[in-house]
Amino acid sequence: VYLPGLPWALSTWLFFILLWVGLQLIANGIDYVMATRRNYLSEKSYTSFLSQSFGHIISLPVSFFKEHRIGDTQDRISRAANDMEQIISNVLIDLGPQFLTLAIGVFIVGHINPSLAGLLLTGMLLYILTLIRIVPPIARLQKESRKAYGDAYSTAYEAVSHFDLIKQSTAEEYSKG
């Protein structure tokens, strides 16, 4: 690319810098649109799930609340809603296009050099098998950690929710005396 009045090397570098800036603007615009869409879909599913869950809890009989702690039930619903939001935003929306891009790339490489495509598929298979081996112990530890957190959270919620009741009854006893 040659611009009149500039040396050839400078005009070429200027062209590539402007091309890079233009491509970055396009990429950032696409990222913004994807992030907005991802946030909209995940928040919509999150709020819908929470409203349906808490609507169902309100309709439960009183015996349910005698058998189950409120803090524990609330923690489970909130954790499920957060997990669902994370799966929708981080897995379905983010990884879907990347998986499709990977499949198209392997297909193209397979047409150019089948042995290289076989090597890529073997590497991906080894990666998947490694994840299958590593992830279950991590998931078990995460589940134990969540359970301990949930127990602590529900106990703290129960203690705080009963604190007002204790304060009120203490105030009544103090006013009688």
Side-chain angles (χ1 to χ4, degrees):
V1 176
Y2 177 71
L3 296 173
L6 288 176
W8 181 83
L10 183 62
S11 63
T12 303
W13 279 107
L14 184 61
F15 169 75
F16 283 118
I17 289 173
L18 290 176
L19 179 66
W20 178 77
V21 168
L23 290 175
Q24 285 296 316
L25 287 174
I26 291 170
N28 289 339
I30 290 171
D31 284 345
Y32 175 76
V33 169
M34 289 296 291
T36 303
R37 176 177 274 169
R38 177 181 55 238
N39 291 340
Y40 172 75
L41 290 175
S42 61
E43 285 297 322
K44 183 176 179 183
S45 64
Y46 178 79
T47 55
S48 173
F49 178 77
L50 280 181
S51 65
Q52 289 176 2
S53 298
F54 287 124
H56 178 71
I57 285 184
I58 290 172
S59 67
L60 291 174
V62 175
S63 61
F64 174 82
F65 300 104
K66 290 180 181 177
E67 296 173 12
H68 303 282
R69 297 188 333 193
I70 296 169
D72 189 32
T73 305
Q74 180 184 6
D75 180 55
R76 287 182 180 183
I77 290 172
S78 296
R79 190 173 59 224
N82 288 334
D83 289 346
M84 187 175 70
E85 180 184 20
Q86 291 294 320
I87 288 171
I88 288 173
S89 67
N90 294 338
V91 176
L92 295 178
I93 295 175
D94 281 350
L95 294 181
Q98 291 177 4
F99 179 75
L100 183 62
T101 302
L102 188 63
I104 291 170
V106 169
F107 179 75
I108 291 171
V109 168
H111 280 292
I112 295 171
N113 188 346
S115 60
L116 182 59
L119 183 65
L120 286 173
L121 288 174
T122 304
M124 285 190 275
L125 181 64
L126 288 174
Y127 177 71
I128 290 169
L129 291 175
T130 304
L131 284 179
I132 289 172
R133 178 80 172 127
I134 291 174
V135 168
I138 294 172
R140 188 182 73 251
L141 291 173
Q142 185 181 21
K143 187 175 183 179
E144 291 172 7
S145 172
R146 280 187 171 180
K147 182 170 178 5
Y149 172 78
D151 291 343
Y153 178 80
S154 60
T155 302
Y157 181 82
E158 293 290 327
V160 170
S161 66
H162 293 317
F163 184 71
D164 288 338
L165 184 64
I166 293 169
K167 201 163 87 173
Q168 181 183 7
S169 65
T170 306
E172 289 173 1
E173 290 295 321
Y174 182 72
S175 66
K176 287 180 184 177

